[in-house]
Amino acid sequence: MEQANLNYINELSGDNQEFKNKIITILKKELPDEIEIYQEEFIKANYLLASQSVHKLKHKISILGLEKSYYIAEEYENNLKDNSTDLNADFENILKIMQEFVSHL
């Protein structure tokens, strides 16, 4: 599985450490909440609402440089819209990678 990184954040912020810190702070705050909302909707089998959460999480996936994972999430989002949970295990692994990475920032 690919590894999360700060390449995009570094590129976006350039030499502005304050801006970089703000982005990281937002990630640390929003990511756990967005994952929790996704998981709650998934458990309730509200797949359309879960797909909307996946859509929001895709932005965080791309910010953390997980290019291949972004495409998995995109396909998973479409699966959920079709009431299919195919790729759930892959998506859960992506969430785990993101959580572990962000928790060490």
Side-chain angles (χ1 to χ4, degrees):
M1 201 85 203
E2 64 187 325
Q3 296 297 313
N5 61 70
L6 294 176
N7 294 347
Y8 178 76
I9 294 172
N10 288 335
E11 186 179 310
L12 191 62
S13 60
D15 293 332
N16 188 335
Q17 189 63 38
E18 184 179 337
F19 182 67
K20 178 180 175 179
N21 291 341
K22 282 183 183 181
I23 295 173
I24 291 170
T25 299
I26 291 168
L27 270 173
K28 287 179 140 183
K29 181 186 180 302
E30 290 182 356
L31 184 64
D33 293 340
E34 290 180 12
I35 290 172
E36 183 179 346
I37 292 167
Y38 156 75
Q39 290 174 334
E40 287 173 3
E41 297 304 340
F42 184 84
I43 289 168
K44 292 188 241 175
N46 290 334
Y47 297 138
L48 182 59
L49 293 175
S51 75
Q52 292 171 358
S53 292
V54 171
H55 183 79
K56 288 181 182 178
L57 285 160
K58 284 190 322 187
H59 299 291
K60 306 266 186 314
I61 291 168
S62 66
I63 286 170
L64 291 174
L66 297 166
E67 293 177 29
K68 292 176 186 172
S69 297
Y70 181 89
Y71 293 109
I72 292 169
E74 190 168 49
E75 189 173 340
Y76 181 56
E77 177 186 357
N78 291 329
N79 289 350
L80 288 170
K81 288 178 184 176
D82 293 333
N83 286 318
S84 168
T85 60
D86 288 351
L87 297 176
N88 174 260
D90 293 328
F91 188 71
E92 289 291 334
N93 284 335
I94 294 166
L95 295 180
K96 184 178 177 182
I97 289 168
M98 291 169 53
Q99 285 175 307
E100 288 177 3
F101 182 78
V102 169
S103 71
H104 290 99
L105 290 177

Coordinates of all heavy atoms in Angstrom, one line a residue, residues 8-98:
Y8 N 2.3 17.4 -1.2 CA 1.4 18.4 -1.7 C 1.3 19.5 -0.8 O 1.3 20.7 -1.2 CB 0.0 17.7 -1.9 CG -1.0 18.7 -2.4 CD1 -1.0 19.1 -3.7 CD2 -2.0 19.2 -1.6 CE1 -2.0 20.1 -4.2 CE2 -2.9 20.1 -2.0 CZ -2.9 20.6 -3.3 OH -3.8 21.5 -3.8
I9 N 1.2 19.3 0.5 CA 1.1 20.4 1.5 C 2.4 21.2 1.5 O 2.3 22.5 1.5 CB 0.9 19.8 2.9 CG1 -0.5 19.1 3.0 CG2 1.0 20.9 4.0 CD1 -0.8 18.4 4.3
N10 N 3.5 20.6 1.3 CA 4.8 21.4 1.2 C 4.8 22.2 0.0 O 5.2 23.4 0.0 CB 6.0 20.4 1.3 CG 6.2 19.8 2.6 OD1 5.8 20.4 3.6 ND2 6.8 18.6 2.6
E11 N 4.3 21.6 -1.1 CA 4.3 22.4 -2.4 C 3.3 23.5 -2.3 O 3.6 24.7 -2.7 CB 3.9 21.4 -3.5 CG 3.9 22.0 -4.9 CD 3.5 21.0 -5.9 OE1 4.0 19.9 -5.9 OE2 2.6 21.3 -6.8
L12 N 2.2 23.3 -1.7 CA 1.1 24.3 -1.6 C 1.6 25.5 -0.7 O 1.3 26.6 -1.0 CB -0.1 23.7 -1.0 CG -1.4 24.5 -1.0 CD1 -1.8 24.8 -2.4 CD2 -2.5 23.7 -0.3
S13 N 2.2 25.1 0.4 CA 2.6 26.1 1.4 C 3.9 26.8 1.1 O 4.2 27.9 1.6 CB 2.7 25.5 2.8 OG 3.6 24.5 2.9
G14 N 4.7 26.2 0.2 CA 6.0 26.8 -0.1 C 6.9 27.0 1.2 O 7.0 26.1 2.0
D15 N 7.4 28.2 1.4 CA 8.2 28.5 2.6 C 7.3 29.0 3.7 O 7.9 29.4 4.8 CB 9.3 29.5 2.2 CG 10.3 28.9 1.3 OD1 10.5 27.7 1.3 OD2 10.9 29.7 0.5
N16 N 6.0 29.0 3.6 CA 5.2 29.6 4.6 C 4.8 28.5 5.6 O 3.8 27.8 5.5 CB 3.9 30.2 4.0 CG 3.0 30.9 4.9 OD1 3.1 30.7 6.1 ND2 2.2 31.8 4.4
Q17 N 5.6 28.4 6.7 CA 5.4 27.4 7.7 C 4.1 27.6 8.5 O 3.5 26.6 8.9 CB 6.6 27.5 8.7 CG 6.6 26.3 9.7 CD 6.8 25.0 9.1 OE1 7.5 24.8 8.1 NE2 6.1 24.0 9.6
E18 N 3.7 28.9 8.6 CA 2.4 29.1 9.3 C 1.2 28.5 8.6 O 0.3 27.9 9.1 CB 2.2 30.6 9.5 CG 1.0 31.0 10.3 CD 0.9 32.5 10.5 OE1 1.9 33.2 10.4 OE2 -0.3 32.9 10.7
F19 N 1.3 28.7 7.3 CA 0.2 28.2 6.4 C 0.2 26.6 6.5 O -0.8 26.0 6.6 CB 0.4 28.7 5.0 CG -0.7 28.2 4.0 CD1 -2.0 28.6 4.2 CD2 -0.4 27.3 3.0 CE1 -3.0 28.2 3.3 CE2 -1.4 26.9 2.1 CZ -2.7 27.3 2.3
K20 N 1.4 26.1 6.4 CA 1.5 24.6 6.5 C 1.0 24.1 7.8 O 0.3 23.1 7.8 CB 3.0 24.2 6.3 CG 3.3 22.7 6.4 CD 4.8 22.4 6.3 CE 5.1 21.0 6.5 NZ 6.5 20.7 6.4
N21 N 1.3 24.7 8.9 CA 0.8 24.3 10.2 C -0.7 24.4 10.3 O -1.4 23.6 10.9 CB 1.4 25.2 11.3 CG 2.9 24.9 11.5 OD1 3.4 23.8 11.0 ND2 3.6 25.8 12.1
K22 N -1.3 25.4 9.6 CA -2.8 25.6 9.6 C -3.4 24.4 8.9 O -4.4 23.8 9.3 CB -3.2 26.9 8.9 CG -3.0 28.1 9.8 CD -3.5 29.3 9.1 CE -3.3 30.6 10.0 NZ -3.8 31.8 9.4
I23 N -2.8 24.0 7.7 CA -3.4 22.9 7.0 C -3.3 21.6 7.8 O -4.3 20.8 7.9 CB -2.6 22.7 5.6 CG1 -2.9 23.9 4.7 CG2 -3.1 21.4 4.9 CD1 -2.0 23.9 3.5
I24 N -2.2 21.4 8.5 CA -2.0 20.2 9.3 C -3.0 20.2 10.5 O -3.6 19.2 10.8 CB -0.5 20.1 9.7 CG1 0.4 19.8 8.5 CG2 -0.4 19.0 10.8 CD1 1.8 19.8 8.8
T25 N -3.2 21.4 11.1 CA -4.1 21.5 12.2 C -5.5 21.1 11.7 O -6.3 20.4 12.4 CB -4.1 22.9 12.8 OG1 -2.7 23.1 13.3 CG2 -5.1 23.1 13.9
I26 N -5.9 21.6 10.6 CA -7.2 21.3 10.0 C -7.4 19.8 9.7 O -8.4 19.2 10.1 CB -7.5 22.2 8.7 CG1 -7.7 23.6 9.1 CG2 -8.7 21.6 8.0 CD1 -7.6 24.6 7.9
L27 N -6.3 19.2 9.2 CA -6.4 17.8 8.9 C -6.6 17.0 10.2 O -7.4 16.1 10.3 CB -5.1 17.4 8.3 CG -5.0 17.4 6.7 CD1 -3.5 17.1 6.3 CD2 -5.9 16.4 6.1
K28 N -5.8 17.4 11.2 CA -5.9 16.7 12.5 C -7.2 16.8 13.1 O -7.7 15.9 13.8 CB -4.8 17.2 13.4 CG -3.4 16.7 13.1 CD -2.4 17.3 14.0 CE -1.3 16.3 14.4 NZ -0.4 16.8 15.4
K29 N -7.9 17.9 12.9 CA -9.2 18.2 13.5 C -10.3 17.5 12.7 O -11.2 16.8 13.3 CB -9.5 19.7 13.6 CG -10.8 20.0 14.2 CD -11.0 21.5 14.2 CE -12.4 21.9 14.8 NZ -13.5 21.3 14.2
E30 N -10.3 17.7 11.4 CA -11.4 17.2 10.6 C -11.4 15.7 10.2 O -12.4 15.1 10.1 CB -11.4 18.0 9.3 CG -11.8 19.5 9.4 CD -11.9 20.2 8.1 OE1 -11.6 19.6 7.1 OE2 -12.3 21.4 8.2
L31 N -10.2 15.2 10.0 CA -10.1 13.8 9.6 C -10.8 12.8 10.5 O -11.7 12.0 10.0 CB -8.7 13.4 9.4 CG -8.5 12.0 8.8 CD1 -9.1 11.9 7.4 CD2 -7.0 11.6 8.7
P32 N -10.6 12.8 11.8 CA -11.3 11.9 12.7 C -12.8 12.0 12.7 O -13.5 11.0 12.7 CB -10.7 12.2 14.1 CG -9.5 12.9 13.9 CD -9.6 13.6 12.6
D33 N -13.2 13.3 12.6 CA -14.7 13.5 12.5 C -15.3 13.0 11.3 O -16.4 12.4 11.3 CB -15.0 15.0 12.7 CG -14.6 15.6 14.0 OD1 -14.5 14.9 15.0 OD2 -14.4 16.9 14.1
E34 N -14.7 13.2 10.1 CA -15.2 12.8 8.9 C -15.2 11.3 8.8 O -16.1 10.7 8.2 CB -14.4 13.4 7.7 CG -14.7 14.9 7.5 CD -13.9 15.5 6.4 OE1 -13.3 14.8 5.6 OE2 -13.9 16.8 6.3
I35 N -14.2 10.6 9.3 CA -14.1 9.2 9.3 C -15.2 8.6 10.2 O -15.9 7.6 9.8 CB -12.7 8.7 9.8 CG1 -11.7 9.0 8.7 CG2 -12.8 7.2 10.1 CD1 -10.2 8.7 9.2
E36 N -15.4 9.2 11.4 CA -16.5 8.8 12.3 C -17.9 8.9 11.6 O -18.7 7.9 11.7 CB -16.5 9.6 13.6 CG -17.5 9.1 14.6 CD -17.4 9.9 15.9 OE1 -16.5 10.7 16.1 OE2 -18.4 9.8 16.6
I37 N -18.1 10.0 10.9 CA -19.4 10.1 10.2 C -19.6 9.1 9.2 O -20.6 8.4 9.0 CB -19.5 11.6 9.6 CG1 -19.6 12.6 10.7 CG2 -20.7 11.7 8.7 CD1 -19.5 14.0 10.3
Y38 N -18.5 8.8 8.4 CA -18.6 7.8 7.4 C -18.9 6.4 8.0 O -19.8 5.7 7.5 CB -17.2 7.7 6.6 CG -17.0 6.3 6.0 CD1 -17.8 6.0 4.9 CD2 -16.2 5.4 6.6 CE1 -17.6 4.7 4.3 CE2 -16.0 4.2 6.1 CZ -16.8 3.8 4.9 OH -16.6 2.5 4.4
Q39 N -18.2 6.1 9.0 CA -18.3 4.8 9.7 C -19.7 4.6 10.2 O -20.3 3.5 10.1 CB -17.3 4.5 10.7 CG -15.9 4.3 10.0 CD -14.7 4.2 11.0 OE1 -14.8 4.7 12.1 NE2 -13.7 3.5 10.6
E40 N -20.3 5.7 10.8 CA -21.6 5.6 11.4 C -22.7 5.3 10.3 O -23.6 4.5 10.4 CB -22.0 6.9 12.1 CG -21.3 7.1 13.4 CD -21.5 8.5 14.1 OE1 -22.3 9.3 13.5 OE2 -20.9 8.7 15.1
E41 N -22.5 6.0 9.2 CA -23.5 5.9 8.1 C -23.3 4.5 7.4 O -24.3 3.8 7.1 CB -23.3 7.0 7.0 CG -23.6 8.4 7.5 CD -25.0 8.5 8.1 OE1 -25.9 7.7 7.9 OE2 -25.1 9.5 8.9
F42 N -22.1 4.0 7.4 CA -21.8 2.7 6.8 C -22.5 1.6 7.7 O -23.1 0.7 7.2 CB -20.3 2.4 6.6 CG -20.0 1.1 6.0 CD1 -20.1 1.0 4.6 CD2 -19.8 0.0 6.7 CE1 -19.8 -0.2 4.0 CE2 -19.5 -1.3 6.1 CZ -19.6 -1.3 4.7
I43 N -22.3 1.7 9.0 CA -22.8 0.7 9.9 C -24.4 0.7 9.8 O -25.0 -0.4 9.9 CB -22.4 1.0 11.4 CG1 -20.9 0.7 11.5 CG2 -23.2 0.3 12.4 CD1 -20.2 1.2 12.8
K44 N -25.0 1.9 9.6 CA -26.4 2.0 9.5 C -26.9 1.6 8.1 O -28.1 1.6 7.9 CB -26.9 3.4 9.8 CG -26.7 3.8 11.2 CD -27.4 5.2 11.4 CE -26.4 6.2 11.9 NZ -27.0 7.5 12.0
A45 N -26.0 1.2 7.2 CA -26.3 0.9 5.8 C -26.9 2.0 5.1 O -27.7 1.8 4.1 CB -27.2 -0.4 5.8
N46 N -26.6 3.2 5.5 CA -27.0 4.4 4.8 C -25.9 4.7 3.7 O -25.1 5.6 3.8 CB -27.1 5.6 5.7 CG -28.3 5.5 6.6 OD1 -29.3 4.9 6.3 ND2 -28.2 6.2 7.8
Y47 N -25.9 3.9 2.7 CA -24.8 3.9 1.7 C -24.7 5.2 0.9 O -23.6 5.6 0.6 CB -24.9 2.7 0.8 CG -24.7 1.4 1.6 CD1 -25.5 0.3 1.3 CD2 -23.8 1.3 2.6 CE1 -25.4 -0.9 2.0 CE2 -23.6 0.1 3.3 CZ -24.4 -1.0 3.0 OH -24.3 -2.1 3.7
L48 N -25.8 5.8 0.7 CA -25.8 7.1 -0.1 C -25.1 8.2 0.8 O -24.2 8.9 0.3 CB -27.2 7.6 -0.5 CG -27.2 8.9 -1.3 CD1 -26.4 8.8 -2.6 CD2 -28.6 9.3 -1.6
L49 N -25.4 8.2 2.1 CA -24.8 9.2 3.0 C -23.3 8.8 3.2 O -22.5 9.7 3.3 CB -25.5 9.3 4.3 CG -26.9 9.9 4.3 CD1 -27.6 9.8 5.6 CD2 -26.8 11.3 3.8
A50 N -23.0 7.5 3.3 CA -21.7 7.0 3.4 C -20.9 7.5 2.2 O -19.7 7.9 2.3 CB -21.6 5.5 3.6
S51 N -21.5 7.4 1.0 CA -20.8 7.8 -0.2 C -20.5 9.3 -0.2 O -19.4 9.7 -0.7 CB -21.6 7.4 -1.5 OG -22.7 8.3 -1.7
Q52 N -21.3 10.1 0.4 CA -21.1 11.5 0.5 C -19.9 11.8 1.4 O -19.1 12.7 1.2 CB -22.3 12.2 1.0 CG -23.4 12.2 0.0 CD -24.8 12.7 0.5 OE1 -24.9 13.1 1.7 NE2 -25.8 12.8 -0.4
S53 N -19.8 10.9 2.5 CA -18.6 11.1 3.4 C -17.3 10.7 2.7 O -16.3 11.3 2.8 CB -18.8 10.2 4.6 OG -19.9 10.7 5.4
V54 N -17.4 9.6 1.9 CA -16.2 9.2 1.1 C -15.8 10.3 0.1 O -14.6 10.6 0.0 CB -16.5 7.9 0.3 CG1 -15.4 7.6 -0.7 CG2 -16.8 6.7 1.2
H55 N -16.8 11.0 -0.5 CA -16.5 12.1 -1.3 C -15.7 13.2 -0.6 O -14.7 13.7 -1.1 CB -17.8 12.7 -1.9 CG -17.6 13.8 -2.9 ND1 -17.2 13.6 -4.2 CD2 -17.6 15.1 -2.7 CE1 -17.0 14.7 -4.8 NE2 -17.3 15.7 -3.9
K56 N -16.1 13.5 0.6 CA -15.4 14.5 1.4 C -14.0 14.0 1.7 O -13.0 14.8 1.7 CB -16.1 14.8 2.7 CG -17.3 15.7 2.5 CD -18.0 16.0 3.8 CE -19.3 16.7 3.6 NZ -19.9 17.0 4.9
L57 N -13.9 12.7 2.1 CA -12.6 12.2 2.5 C -11.6 12.1 1.3 O -10.4 12.1 1.5 CB -12.8 10.8 3.1 CG -13.3 10.8 4.5 CD1 -14.0 9.5 4.9 CD2 -12.2 11.2 5.5
K58 N -12.1 12.0 0.1 CA -11.2 12.0 -1.1 C -10.3 13.2 -1.1 O -9.2 13.1 -1.6 CB -12.1 11.9 -2.4 CG -12.6 10.5 -2.7 CD -13.2 10.4 -4.1 CE -13.9 11.6 -4.6 NZ -14.6 11.4 -5.8
H59 N -10.8 14.3 -0.7 CA -10.0 15.5 -0.7 C -8.8 15.3 0.2 O -7.7 15.7 -0.1 CB -10.8 16.7 -0.3 CG -11.9 17.0 -1.3 ND1 -11.7 17.4 -2.6 CD2 -13.3 16.9 -1.1 CE1 -12.9 17.5 -3.2 NE2 -13.9 17.2 -2.3
K60 N -9.0 14.8 1.4 CA -8.0 14.5 2.3 C -7.0 13.5 1.8 O -5.8 13.6 2.0 CB -8.5 14.1 3.7 CG -9.6 15.0 4.3 CD -9.0 16.0 5.2 CE -10.0 16.8 6.0 NZ -11.1 17.4 5.3
I61 N -7.5 12.5 1.1 CA -6.7 11.5 0.5 C -5.7 12.1 -0.5 O -4.5 11.8 -0.5 CB -7.6 10.4 -0.2 CG1 -8.3 9.6 0.9 CG2 -6.7 9.5 -1.1 CD1 -9.4 8.7 0.3
S62 N -6.2 13.0 -1.3 CA -5.3 13.6 -2.3 C -4.3 14.6 -1.6 O -3.2 14.6 -2.0 CB -6.1 14.3 -3.4 OG -6.8 15.4 -2.9
I63 N -4.8 15.3 -0.6 CA -3.9 16.2 0.1 C -2.7 15.4 0.7 O -1.6 16.0 0.8 CB -4.7 17.0 1.2 CG1 -5.5 18.1 0.5 CG2 -3.7 17.6 2.2 CD1 -6.5 18.7 1.5
L64 N -3.0 14.2 1.1 CA -1.9 13.4 1.8 C -1.1 12.6 0.7 O -0.4 11.7 1.1 CB -2.5 12.5 2.8 CG -3.0 13.2 4.1 CD1 -3.7 12.3 5.0 CD2 -1.9 14.0 4.8
G65 N -1.3 12.9 -0.5 CA -0.5 12.3 -1.6 C -0.8 10.9 -1.9 O 0.1 10.2 -2.5
L66 N -1.9 10.4 -1.6 CA -2.3 9.0 -1.8 C -3.0 8.9 -3.2 O -4.3 8.7 -3.2 CB -3.2 8.5 -0.7 CG -2.5 8.5 0.7 CD1 -3.5 8.3 1.8 CD2 -1.4 7.4 0.7
E67 N -2.3 9.0 -4.2 CA -2.9 9.0 -5.6 C -3.6 7.8 -5.9 O -4.8 7.9 -6.4 CB -1.8 9.3 -6.6 CG -1.1 10.7 -6.5 CD 0.0 10.9 -7.5 OE1 -0.1 10.3 -8.5 OE2 0.9 11.7 -7.1
K68 N -3.0 6.6 -5.7 CA -3.7 5.4 -6.1 C -5.0 5.2 -5.2 O -6.0 4.7 -5.6 CB -2.8 4.2 -5.9 CG -1.7 4.2 -7.0 CD -0.7 3.0 -6.7 CE 0.5 3.2 -7.7 NZ 1.5 2.2 -7.4
S69 N -4.8 5.6 -3.9 CA -5.9 5.4 -3.0 C -7.1 6.3 -3.4 O -8.3 6.0 -3.2 CB -5.5 5.8 -1.6 OG -4.5 4.9 -1.2
Y70 N -6.8 7.5 -4.0 CA -7.9 8.4 -4.4 C -8.8 7.7 -5.4 O -10.0 7.8 -5.3 CB -7.2 9.6 -5.0 CG -8.3 10.6 -5.5 CD1 -8.8 11.6 -4.7 CD2 -8.8 10.6 -6.8 CE1 -9.7 12.5 -5.1 CE2 -9.8 11.5 -7.2 CZ -10.2 12.4 -6.4 OH -11.2 13.3 -6.8
Y71 N -8.2 6.9 -6.4 CA -8.9 6.3 -7.4 C -9.8 5.1 -6.8 O -10.9 4.9 -7.2 CB -8.1 5.8 -8.5 CG -7.5 7.0 -9.3 CD1 -6.2 7.3 -9.2 CD2 -8.3 7.8 -10.1 CE1 -5.7 8.4 -9.9 CE2 -7.9 8.9 -10.7 CZ -6.5 9.2 -10.6 OH -6.0 10.3 -11.3
I72 N -9.2 4.4 -5.8 CA -9.9 3.4 -5.1 C -11.1 4.0 -4.4 O -12.3 3.5 -4.4 CB -9.0 2.7 -4.1 CG1 -8.0 1.8 -4.8 CG2 -9.9 1.8 -3.1 CD1 -6.9 1.3 -3.9
A73 N -10.9 5.2 -3.7 CA -12.0 5.9 -3.0 C -13.1 6.3 -4.0 O -14.3 6.2 -3.7 CB -11.5 7.0 -2.2
E74 N -12.7 6.8 -5.1 CA -13.6 7.2 -6.2 C -14.5 6.1 -6.6 O -15.7 6.2 -6.7 CB -12.8 7.8 -7.3 CG -13.7 8.6 -8.3 CD -12.9 9.4 -9.3 OE1 -11.9 8.8 -9.9 OE2 -13.2 10.5 -9.5
E75 N -13.9 4.9 -6.9 CA -14.6 3.8 -7.3 C -15.5 3.3 -6.1 O -16.7 2.9 -6.3 CB -13.7 2.6 -7.7 CG -14.4 1.5 -8.4 CD -13.4 0.5 -9.0 OE1 -12.3 0.8 -9.2 OE2 -13.9 -0.7 -9.2
Y76 N -15.0 3.3 -4.9 CA -15.8 2.9 -3.7 C -17.0 3.8 -3.5 O -18.1 3.4 -3.2 CB -14.9 2.9 -2.5 CG -15.6 2.4 -1.2 CD1 -16.3 1.2 -1.2 CD2 -15.6 3.3 -0.1 CE1 -16.9 0.8 0.0 CE2 -16.2 2.9 1.0 CZ -16.9 1.6 1.1 OH -17.5 1.2 2.2
E77 N -16.8 5.1 -3.7 CA -17.9 6.1 -3.6 C -19.0 5.7 -4.6 O -20.2 5.7 -4.2 CB -17.4 7.5 -3.9 CG -18.5 8.5 -4.0 CD -18.0 9.9 -4.4 OE1 -16.8 10.1 -4.7 OE2 -18.8 10.8 -4.5
N78 N -18.7 5.4 -5.8 CA -19.7 4.9 -6.8 C -20.3 3.6 -6.5 O -21.5 3.5 -6.6 CB -19.0 4.9 -8.2 CG -18.6 6.2 -8.8 OD1 -19.3 7.2 -8.5 ND2 -17.6 6.3 -9.5
N79 N -19.5 2.7 -5.9 CA -20.1 1.4 -5.4 C -21.2 1.7 -4.4 O -22.3 1.1 -4.4 CB -19.0 0.5 -4.9 CG -18.1 0.0 -5.9 OD1 -18.3 0.1 -7.1 ND2 -17.0 -0.6 -5.5
L80 N -20.9 2.5 -3.4 CA -21.8 2.8 -2.4 C -23.1 3.4 -2.9 O -24.2 3.1 -2.4 CB -21.2 3.8 -1.3 CG -20.2 3.1 -0.4 CD1 -19.5 4.2 0.4 CD2 -20.8 2.1 0.5
K81 N -23.0 4.3 -3.9 CA -24.2 4.9 -4.5 C -25.0 3.8 -5.2 O -26.2 4.0 -5.3 CB -23.7 5.9 -5.6 CG -23.2 7.2 -5.0 CD -22.8 8.1 -6.1 CE -22.1 9.4 -5.5 NZ -21.6 10.3 -6.6
D82 N -24.4 2.7 -5.6 CA -25.1 1.6 -6.2 C -25.5 0.5 -5.1 O -25.8 -0.6 -5.5 CB -24.3 0.9 -7.3 CG -24.1 1.9 -8.5 OD1 -25.0 2.7 -8.7 OD2 -23.1 1.7 -9.2
N83 N -25.4 0.9 -3.8 CA -25.6 0.0 -2.7 C -24.7 -1.2 -2.7 O -25.1 -2.3 -2.2 CB -27.1 -0.5 -2.7 CG -28.0 0.6 -2.2 OD1 -27.7 1.4 -1.3 ND2 -29.1 0.8 -2.9
S84 N -23.5 -1.1 -3.2 CA -22.5 -2.1 -3.1 C -21.4 -1.7 -2.2 O -21.0 -0.6 -2.2 CB -21.9 -2.3 -4.5 OG -20.8 -3.2 -4.5
T85 N -21.0 -2.7 -1.4 CA -19.9 -2.4 -0.4 C -18.5 -2.9 -0.9 O -17.6 -3.0 -0.2 CB -20.2 -3.0 1.0 OG1 -20.3 -4.4 0.8 CG2 -21.4 -2.4 1.5
D86 N -18.5 -3.3 -2.2 CA -17.2 -3.7 -2.8 C -16.2 -2.6 -2.6 O -16.5 -1.4 -2.7 CB -17.3 -4.0 -4.3 CG -18.1 -5.3 -4.6 OD1 -18.4 -6.0 -3.6 OD2 -18.4 -5.5 -5.8
L87 N -15.0 -3.0 -2.2 CA -13.8 -2.1 -1.9 C -13.8 -1.6 -0.5 O -13.0 -0.7 -0.1 CB -13.7 -1.0 -2.9 CG -13.4 -1.4 -4.4 CD1 -13.3 -0.2 -5.3 CD2 -12.1 -2.2 -4.5
N88 N -14.8 -2.0 0.3 CA -14.8 -1.5 1.7 C -13.5 -1.8 2.4 O -13.0 -0.9 3.1 CB -16.0 -2.1 2.5 CG -16.0 -1.7 3.9 OD1 -15.6 -2.5 4.8 ND2 -16.4 -0.5 4.2
A89 N -13.0 -3.0 2.3 CA -11.8 -3.3 3.1 C -10.6 -2.5 2.6 O -9.8 -2.0 3.4 CB -11.5 -4.8 2.9
D90 N -10.6 -2.2 1.3 CA -9.5 -1.4 0.8 C -9.6 0.1 1.3 O -8.6 0.7 1.7 CB -9.5 -1.3 -0.8 CG -9.2 -2.7 -1.4 OD1 -8.4 -3.4 -0.8 OD2 -9.7 -3.0 -2.5
F91 N -10.9 0.5 1.3 CA -11.1 1.9 1.8 C -10.8 2.0 3.3 O -10.2 3.0 3.7 CB -12.5 2.4 1.5 CG -12.8 3.8 1.8 CD1 -12.2 4.8 1.0 CD2 -13.5 4.2 2.9 CE1 -12.4 6.1 1.3 CE2 -13.7 5.5 3.2 CZ -13.1 6.5 2.4
E92 N -11.1 1.0 4.1 CA -10.8 1.0 5.5 C -9.3 1.0 5.7 O -8.8 1.7 6.6 CB -11.4 -0.2 6.2 CG -12.9 -0.2 6.3 CD -13.4 0.9 7.3 OE1 -12.7 1.3 8.2 OE2 -14.6 1.4 7.1
N93 N -8.5 0.3 4.9 CA -7.1 0.4 5.0 C -6.5 1.8 4.7 O -5.6 2.2 5.3 CB -6.4 -0.6 4.0 CG -6.5 -2.1 4.5 OD1 -6.6 -2.3 5.7 ND2 -6.6 -3.0 3.6
I94 N -7.1 2.4 3.7 CA -6.7 3.8 3.4 C -7.0 4.7 4.6 O -6.1 5.5 4.9 CB -7.5 4.3 2.1 CG1 -7.1 3.5 0.9 CG2 -7.3 5.8 1.9 CD1 -8.1 3.7 -0.3
L95 N -8.1 4.6 5.2 CA -8.5 5.4 6.4 C -7.4 5.1 7.5 O -7.0 6.1 8.1 CB -9.9 5.1 6.9 CG -11.0 5.4 6.0 CD1 -12.3 5.1 6.6 CD2 -11.0 6.9 5.6
K96 N -7.1 3.9 7.7 CA -6.1 3.5 8.7 C -4.7 4.2 8.4 O -4.1 4.8 9.3 CB -5.9 2.0 8.8 CG -5.0 1.6 9.9 CD -5.0 0.0 10.0 CE -4.0 -0.4 11.0 NZ -3.9 -1.9 11.1
I97 N -4.3 4.1 7.2 CA -3.0 4.8 6.8 C -3.1 6.3 7.1 O -2.1 6.8 7.6 CB -2.8 4.5 5.3 CG1 -2.4 3.0 5.1 CG2 -1.7 5.4 4.8 CD1 -2.4 2.6 3.6
M98 N -4.2 6.9 6.7 CA -4.3 8.3 6.9 C -4.3 8.7 8.4 O -3.6 9.6 8.8 CB -5.6 8.8 6.3 CG -5.6 8.8 4.7 SD -7.2 9.1 3.9 CE -7.7 10.6 4.7

